[in-house]
Amino acid sequence: MSAVVIDGKAFAAGVRIRVAAHVARLAEEHGVVPGLAVVLVGQDPASQVYVRNKGVQTVECGMVSFEHKLSADTSEADLLALVRALNADPKVHGILVQLPLPGHLNSDLIINTIDPAKDVDGFHISNVGLLGTGQKSMVPCTPLGCLMMLRDHHGSLAGLNAVVVGRSNIVGKPMAQLLLGDSCTVTIAHSRTKDLAAVCRGADILVAAVGRAEMITGDMVKPGATVIDVGINRVERDGRAKLVGDVDFASAAAVAGAITPVPGGVGPMTIACLLANTLTACCRAHGLPEPDGLTV
Ligand code: GUN
């Protein structure tokens, strides 16, 4: 293996330390404590784990965590009423509605009912539009975490060829916007892209966000490229459950210049950036200076 392995776990711990230090100053100097409300509808086991981790890390950073766990048959009217109540609550600076929602609920309607200033996921249509036009917004957590690691590794990204594999609203599209904002030449590839391997081999920065286990292999990686693996896929290997990314780590690491592992790469950065976004939302709500380097 020749690639540098980018340690997302350590990077995320550093982000949390900076968030906690700023949160402590806010409390001391202004008597303000950031609050994050997380809404979970139903019993999806993976979502329950995420929500628990979010709650623990929120409190560890000195913020207040509000958890709303609703039954899977909650009506749309009740969920909308809860979102509106959280919008109006001055103790709540960030609101996250855990996705996916049960099928009878209109996710777009619910997300677009969140006050955009409290939309710490950056999924509200206003934030999507602000990001797309290069204006100050709330930035989706996973792409924000990827950008922080890329900036840390490269310094300037200007002029680099970036290929994002995956066109989801949560990762692929905002990732492409952020890379464009940092003056990369950006290609979005997807399941219908012709000769995906050749497109990927043109990338100085290759971001894999397709949700297919180990589909990006070493022969698709340009020598020396930086590979960011957003995938989290549960597979069975030798009779055991294992987490793997969208990148075949062993073959890609033999060619890449730098690569994020799974687990321990992008994953930990998502919650760290959620905490950073909550702090940013709180500072904006109170007209206080935002922390440096924790948003774009
Ligand atoms: N489900 C999986 N990841 C996420 C996320 O980043 N935000 C929300 N709201 N739901 C998710």
Side-chain angles (χ1 to χ4, degrees):
M1 183 177 75
S2 61
V4 171
V5 178
I6 299 175
D7 186 345
K9 205 171 158 190
F11 202 102
V15 169
R16 289 197 302 272
I17 286 169
R18 283 154 63 203
V19 169
H22 201 101
V23 168
R25 270 203 309 281
L26 275 186
E28 214 173 279
E29 295 171 12
H30 303 281
V32 169
V33 182
L36 172 63
V38 175
V39 180
L40 174 62
V41 185
Q43 310 278 324
D44 178 63
S47 293
Q48 284 179 322
V49 172
Y50 281 138
V51 167
R52 196 176 323 125
N53 288 340
K54 282 169 193 162
V56 168
Q57 293 187 31
T58 302
V59 172
E60 279 174 0
C61 278
M63 305 189 195
V64 182
S65 171
F66 304 95
E67 279 184 19
H68 296 267
K69 294 184 176 167
L70 309 180
S71 67
D73 62 357
T74 298
S75 72
E76 196 163 271
D78 284 352
L79 183 53
L80 288 170
L82 172 60
V83 169
R84 291 194 181 104
L86 296 172
N87 284 346
D89 185 342
K91 296 187 296 305
V92 173
H93 303 94
I95 301 170
L96 179 145
V97 177
Q98 184 70 25
L99 301 176
L101 287 168
H104 67 285
L105 299 170
N106 179 341
S107 301
D108 287 340
L109 174 64
I110 286 145
I111 297 300
N112 289 324
T113 301
I114 297 172
D115 177 347
K118 296 189 178 189
D119 168 36
V120 281
D121 263 326
F123 295 165
H124 189 288
I125 192 73
S126 295
N127 282 315
V128 175
L130 290 168
L131 179 62
T133 50
Q135 300 179 69
K136 200 185 233 192
S137 64
M138 295 307 302
V139 178
C141 303
T142 300
L144 177 59
C146 295
L147 186 76
M148 283 185 189
M149 290 192 288
L150 283 167
R151 284 179 173 175
D152 182 69
H153 185 74
H154 284 270
S156 170
L157 307 182
L160 296 178
N161 285 330
V163 174
V164 180
V165 189
R167 53 179 159 179
S168 71
N169 291 337
I170 294 181
V171 182
K173 287 179 199 161
M175 187 75 249
Q177 295 286 5
L178 289 173
L179 292 164
L180 197 56
D182 270 28
S183 301
C184 290
T185 303
V186 181
T187 303
I188 303 181
H190 46 78
S191 55
R192 305 291 292 272
T193 296
K194 286 187 183 146
D195 201 350
L196 178 65
V199 173
C200 291
R201 275 194 298 272
D204 303 307
I205 293 170
L206 181 59
V207 180
V210 269
R212 280 183 55 193
E214 298 174 325
M215 75 160 283
I216 305 292
T217 45
D219 58 307
M220 301 165 80
V221 176
K222 178 178 175 173
T226 301
V227 178
I228 303 290
D229 189 351
V230 180
I232 302 176
N233 307 289
R234 272 163 232 281
V235 295
E236 211 174 284
R237 288 287 143 78
D238 308 322
R240 284 196 194 163
K242 196 183 167 206
L243 278 190
V244 299
D246 292 349
V247 176
D248 175 37
F249 185 84
S251 66
V255 185
I259 187 166
T260 60
V262 176
V266 172
M269 285 299 286
T270 297
I271 297 184
C273 288
L274 175 69
L275 304 175
N277 277 352
T278 304
L279 171 59
T280 298
C282 176
C283 291
R284 288 179 186 169
H286 289 273
L288 296 168
E290 293 172 28
D292 283 334
L294 292 178
T295 191
V296 289

